[in-house]
Amino acid sequence: MKLSKQTIGILVAGMAVALGGILFLQYRFLQRSLELKDQTFRQNVLAALNAAVAVIEEADARDRFLLFVSDSTGHRPMTFSYSDTKKRVLKRDSGQTVMVSAFTTGGGSSTALVGDKLSYQLGTQQKVTVKVFDPFGKLDTVLVDAKKGEGKHELTLPGEKMKKGVYIIQVRTDSLFSTYRWDGAGGAVSFEMPAKQIDGERIISRITQTVAGKEAPPLSERINNEQVDSVVARFLQQGGIDFPYEFEVRDKKDSLVAGRVSGNAAMARESAFTVPVFSHDFSGMPATLMVRFPDYKSQLMKEFIPESVLHLLFVGVVLASFGFTVRTMLRQKELGERVTDFINNMTHEFKTPLSTIALASEALRRPDVLRMKKKIAEYNNVIADENTRMRKQIEKILHMAALEEGEVEFRRELLDVHAIIDKAVAAASVPVSTRGGTLTTLLDARRSIVAGDSVHIENVIRNVLDNAEKYSSDAPTIVVTTGNSEHHLVIRVIDHGIGMAQEHAARAFEKYYRVPTGNLHDVKGFGIGLSYVKLVVEKHGGTASIQSEKGSGTTVELRLPVVS
């Protein structure tokens, strides 16, 4: 397939469409990942808040019931009646209210709490679990969880942990469930019922309201900031949510009951997660818990930074590969054009000497010429000169290829570059003077000794002088100067020829590159002279550069390291 402009355009268009598709898919993938992350976050938050509300409601119900049974005001003895149990009586003993059981369930089980000593009586071998926790879950310790034999067992409570605050002590056996409310200020109350009568923790709320026979206290007494903040924080953390949050609890009249927000502005419902509190409460006082995450969006985006960086990195790799591919294609196309131009130039360069050789050979076969020794010698000289000319051109091409492949080794010897310049200038003066021009030198360098290969350095000077002569339209005016810059010998070849535009000057050292002239071959050459110059100078540790302006001439500067 020919690498034409149309072909390259089609390939570039196809790659651009594919790259656009990749970018779109990457964007959609990130967008959907963000939506999924947001959806999962919302589900986790709502699950955590519902769990927190359940704990708040259970703590409230338990606290209300236990506060009721431990009320120090004058209570008449209360009885609790169940279909399959005997009566339980609430009585006061030694200034401390205690709930005791006046029945047995067939297992002969009972519990008692005196000071920090908890005792329990078992009529048969049973599984026993003793647990201590606070209403909000800050302390949750299992003291006993094992099978115990028949008889009386005693346990000392962790008094150091229970010095302050209110704690719940639960005792479960196969035939009994006993709950004590421990107040660090002193005292404890208990409520016991058969295990088979327990139908979830929420039964306590109904028992409370049935027993109390009075309305629940205001929401402001049932909910406080520390309680809500602690429970919400715990369940959010369990759900893997560690974003900073604000919360408010409002009653059905939208009055603030509790809350922790930054600033004085009320929390907007549309920007917060909301769950009902006490929605099934018999007191008819429901509330709403609202939680908002101020930095949620920014924090969520931060979590996507590593993935986004990887996506951008991969897209960058694709873009770089795309750009490199396009650039390589264009350079290959240009190189192909240069090679074609090189072949055309080489054909043109060889066509003239071959035609001359052919004419001379034809003339030597003529009988009249064979009788003239002077003509034979003249035609032989023509053939020899043209043959030498073609051989030098071929050697130049082969020599350049060998240099590029690194097959040529440079000799290293001390050279006086001024002497080499003089020799090259003497050879180049002939064609310059033939055209009526001048070639002068200003060799002002005080240090002109370099370590290098004399043949190649002389070829470099000759190539630059040859270009200066070839690209001068009128009588050439060429000046060669030398000077020193730090540890370098600086050689400048200045001409006042046709020059070239800056974009061509920047590429003049590229192999096969020639300033475009269409199909004209008015200047001889293959486009390898300056590339040879740059290659040799760089092999000697130096640099080559060119400054030119169209119509104002060209300056070629060579820098070679000098020997101290």
Side-chain angles (χ1 to χ4, degrees):
M1 182 177 65
K2 183 179 179 182
L3 201 62
S4 62
K5 289 184 178 179
Q6 184 179 6
T7 303
I8 293 177
I10 293 174
L11 291 174
V12 170
M15 294 173 70
V17 171
L19 181 61
I22 291 174
L23 291 175
F24 175 75
L25 291 176
Q26 293 283 353
Y27 167 75
R28 289 294 298 162
F29 175 77
L30 285 175
Q31 186 182 44
R32 291 182 180 180
S33 297
L34 190 62
E35 291 174 356
L36 181 61
K37 190 91 172 177
D38 180 73
Q39 183 180 3
T40 303
F41 173 79
R42 291 181 178 278
Q43 291 175 350
N44 291 341
V45 169
L46 290 175
L49 294 184
N50 284 321
V53 166
V55 170
I56 293 173
E57 291 178 346
E58 291 175 10
D60 171 76
R62 184 186 300 112
D63 202 45
R64 285 167 55 199
F65 173 75
L66 295 176
L67 282 174
F68 168 75
V69 300
S70 62
D71 193 353
S72 60
T73 59
H75 276 299
R76 67 183 186 278
M78 304 289 295
T79 62
F80 302 86
S81 177
Y82 295 94
S83 59
D84 58 345
T85 64
K86 298 182 179 180
K87 295 181 179 179
R88 298 177 179 224
V89 181
L90 174 70
K91 67 178 183 178
R92 200 175 308 280
D93 182 20
S94 304
Q96 181 180 6
T97 303
V98 180
M99 183 70 69
V100 298
S101 175
F103 72 95
T104 61
T105 61
S109 299
S110 64
T111 62
L113 179 62
V114 179
D116 61 351
K117 301 293 184 181
L118 175 68
S119 60
Y120 52 93
Q121 180 75 34
L122 301 177
T124 59
Q125 184 182 30
Q126 300 182 37
K127 173 69 179 297
V128 179
T129 302
V130 181
K131 188 176 182 181
V132 177
F133 57 90
D134 72 331
F136 310 120
K138 292 182 179 178
L139 175 66
D140 193 346
T141 303
V142 177
L143 301 179
V144 177
D145 186 18
K147 280 190 174 292
K148 296 291 184 179
E150 179 183 357
K152 184 177 181 180
H153 302 271
E154 192 172 83
L155 176 68
T156 302
L157 299 177
E160 289 297 324
K161 294 183 179 180
M162 301 168 60
K163 280 184 177 180
K164 296 181 180 180
V166 177
Y167 300 90
I168 306 300
I169 305 166
Q170 286 184 348
V171 182
R172 288 178 182 269
T173 70
D174 294 340
S175 59
L176 181 69
F177 177 83
S178 176
T179 300
Y180 292 85
R181 180 179 184 274
W182 174 280
D183 189 345
V189 296
S190 67
F191 177 69
E192 300 177 6
M193 70 178 75
K196 63 182 179 180
Q197 294 294 324
I198 302 171
D199 187 18
E201 297 289 340
R202 293 186 180 276
I203 197 173
I204 300 178
S205 177
R206 299 189 181 187
I207 294 174
T208 300
Q209 294 177 38
T210 301
V211 173
K214 60 181 180 179
E215 294 185 357
L219 288 175
S220 58
E221 296 181 12
R222 300 170 66 185
I223 296 178
N224 60 75
N225 284 1
E226 181 181 356
Q227 170 194 6
V228 177
D229 200 3
S230 173
V231 175
V232 169
R234 177 161 60 92
F235 282 99
L236 287 177
Q237 187 176 11
Q238 289 179 3
I241 303 167
D242 56 357
F243 297 135
Y245 68 91
E246 302 173 346
F247 74 91
E248 286 184 352
V249 179
R250 293 184 174 272
D251 60 18
K252 61 183 179 180
K253 297 181 180 180
D254 204 32
S255 298
L256 183 66
V257 177
R260 177 174 60 80
V261 296
S262 57
N264 299 322
M267 187 181 300
R269 287 180 180 267
E270 58 271 14
S271 64
F273 297 87
T274 60
V275 291
V277 186
F278 304 134
S279 58
H280 303 293
D281 197 272
F282 293 160
S283 64
M285 292 190 298
T288 301
L289 170 62
M290 296 187 297
V291 176
R292 184 171 71 90
F293 300 87
D295 300 327
Y296 160 63
K297 290 295 183 183
S298 60
Q299 293 291 335
L300 189 62
M301 293 302 296
K302 285 181 180 179
E303 291 186 4
F304 271 84
I305 288 179
E307 295 181 18
S308 300
V309 169
L310 286 177
H311 282 294
L312 291 176
L313 177 62
F314 294 147
V315 170
V317 171
V318 173
L319 282 173
S321 302
F322 173 72
F324 177 77
T325 302
V326 173
R327 180 172 175 270
T328 302
M329 290 168 58
L330 294 175
R331 290 183 68 87
Q332 288 296 324
K333 179 179 180 298
E334 183 183 0
L335 181 60
E337 292 174 349
R338 285 195 210 171
V339 171
T340 301
D341 189 45
F342 166 75
I343 294 173
N344 292 336
N345 290 331
M346 185 173 64
T347 303
H348 179 76
E349 289 290 329
F350 289 165
K351 184 178 181 180
T352 300
L354 286 172
S355 298
T356 303
I357 291 173
L359 290 174
S361 299
E362 184 70 24
L364 287 174
R365 288 198 294 267
R366 289 165 51 189
D368 57 331
V369 174
L370 291 175
R371 291 192 295 267
M372 302 170 64
K373 293 183 178 181
K374 185 177 180 181
K375 283 290 183 180
I376 293 174
E378 182 180 341
Y379 287 133
N380 280 333
N381 289 334
V382 168
I383 293 173
D385 291 341
E386 293 301 325
N387 180 64
T388 301
R389 177 183 169 187
M390 285 194 300
R391 181 170 53 81
K392 287 183 178 180
Q393 296 283 24
I394 294 172
E395 286 178 352
K396 182 187 292 187
I397 296 171
L398 296 177
H399 197 61
M400 182 66 185
L403 282 174
E404 288 183 330
E405 295 296 328
E407 297 176 358
V408 177
E409 293 185 4
F410 290 92
R411 292 182 297 170
R412 297 293 177 177
E413 55 184 347
L414 297 181
L415 307 172
D416 186 351
V417 178
H418 283 172
I420 295 176
I421 292 174
D422 288 335
K423 184 178 179 180
V425 166
S429 296
V430 177
V432 171
S433 59
T434 301
R435 296 177 59 187
T438 60
L439 175 55
T440 58
T441 59
L442 296 173
L443 309 181
D444 297 329
R446 290 175 295 176
R447 293 174 294 162
S448 60
I449 305 299
V450 302
D453 191 307
S454 60
V455 174
H456 286 287
I457 292 179
E458 182 178 347
N459 287 340
V460 165
I461 304 300
R462 282 177 177 267
N463 269 285
V464 176
L465 292 174
D466 184 51
N467 276 351
E469 184 269 326
K470 286 194 300 184
Y471 290 100
S472 295
S473 57
D474 299 323
T477 302
I478 304 171
V479 179
V480 181
T481 69
T482 63
N484 292 116
S485 173
E486 295 183 349
H487 303 293
H488 289 84
L489 171 67
V490 181
I491 307 168
R492 292 188 179 92
V493 178
I494 307 165
D495 68 66
H496 299 280
I498 61 176
M500 53 184 154
Q502 187 59 40
E503 62 267 21
H504 298 306
R507 306 181 63 185
F509 289 110
E510 295 179 11
K511 188 178 179 182
Y512 302 139
Y513 186 82
R514 300 186 72 198
V515 177
T517 58
N519 292 324
L520 296 178
H521 298 280
D522 51 346
V523 179
K524 298 178 180 181
F526 297 145
I528 61 175
L530 286 180
S531 62
Y532 169 80
V533 168
K534 181 178 177 64
L535 182 60
V536 171
V537 170
E538 289 181 347
K539 291 288 186 180
H540 283 79
T543 59
S545 61
I546 187 169
Q547 294 85 36
S548 184
E549 186 176 345
K550 193 171 181 62
S552 300
T554 302
T555 299
V556 177
E557 181 179 282
L558 310 175
R559 289 174 173 261
L560 295 170
V562 296
V563 177
S564 302

